[in-house]
């Protein structure tokens, strides 16, 4: 997974108009910390955290934090060629028109996916 992300991010740097990545549930910090739901945090720590003289060197945590910051900036939704609406998950279960309101509201959203609430529109998009 780490190597796949590095490859995809490299493609985005070389061909920024050709590569787009959506934020989904596996780009959520809490989900990454859960070994039963992907375990990205554990993978990074296993691969990059070294123990020197009995103490962790902190590199794994720094690398994970860089990924978490990248994930927090990935878009929840994208429109391709002004015609195709792309999301990772599904449209909200909230019937009160919450979806469009949520898109407008989240132009400058918090870095983490909001918690599950009765109107959990942003979480619906990611999951």
């Amino acid at each position: 997974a780490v190597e796949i992300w590095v490859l995809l991010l490299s493609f985005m740097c070389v061909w920024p108009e050709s590569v787009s990545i959506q934020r989904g549930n596996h780009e959520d910090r809490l989900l990454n910390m859960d070994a039963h739901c992907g375990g990205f945090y554990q993978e990074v720590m296993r691969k990059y955290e070294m123990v020197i003289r009995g103490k962790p060197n902190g590199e794994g945590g720094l690398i994970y934090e860089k990924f978490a910051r990248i994930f927090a900036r990935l878009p929840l939704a994208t429109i391709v060629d002004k015609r195709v609406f792309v999301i990772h998950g599904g449209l909200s279960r909230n019937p009160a028109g919450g979806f469009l309101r949520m898109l407008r509201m989240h132009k400058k959203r918090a870095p983490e996916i909001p918690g599950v609430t009765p109107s959990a529109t942003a979480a619906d998009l990611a999951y």
Side-chain angles (χ1 to χ4, degrees):
V2 172
E3 296 80 8
I4 292 168
W5 271 107
V6 170
L7 181 64
L8 290 172
L9 294 170
S10 299
F11 287 160
M12 285 183 76
C13 290
V14 175
W15 299 292
E17 281 82 39
S18 299
V19 178
S20 177
I21 301 174
Q22 299 303 127
R23 183 175 182 182
N25 56 327
H26 286 275
E27 289 74 46
D28 178 65
R29 185 183 300 266
L30 295 176
L31 189 66
N32 281 327
M33 299 297 244
D34 187 342
H36 301 291
C37 294
F40 186 75
Y41 173 80
Q42 287 82 5
E43 176 189 347
V44 170
M45 296 303 285
R46 185 178 66 250
K47 289 180 176 178
Y48 301 104
E49 186 72 22
M50 293 183 215
V51 177
I52 301 171
R53 289 186 223 124
K55 292 186 175 183
N57 68 352
E59 293 296 316
L62 289 173
I63 292 169
Y64 174 75
E65 187 58 33
K66 297 292 183 186
F67 273 108
R69 289 180 181 191
I70 291 169
F71 295 161
R73 286 165 177 78
L74 292 174
L76 289 173
T78 301
I79 297 177
V80 178
D81 294 333
K82 298 180 182 179
R83 295 179 39 214
V84 180
F85 179 69
V86 180
I87 55 175
H88 176 275
L91 295 176
S92 176
R93 297 174 296 261
N94 182 353
F99 174 70
L100 292 176
R101 186 175 50 242
M102 183 279 309
L103 284 181
R104 286 186 205 101
M105 185 176 72
H106 284 357
K107 284 185 179 180
K108 294 186 180 186
R109 68 184 189 279
E112 299 303 323
I113 295 175
V116 177
T117 64
S119 61
T121 310
D124 290 343
L125 290 173
Y127 290 84

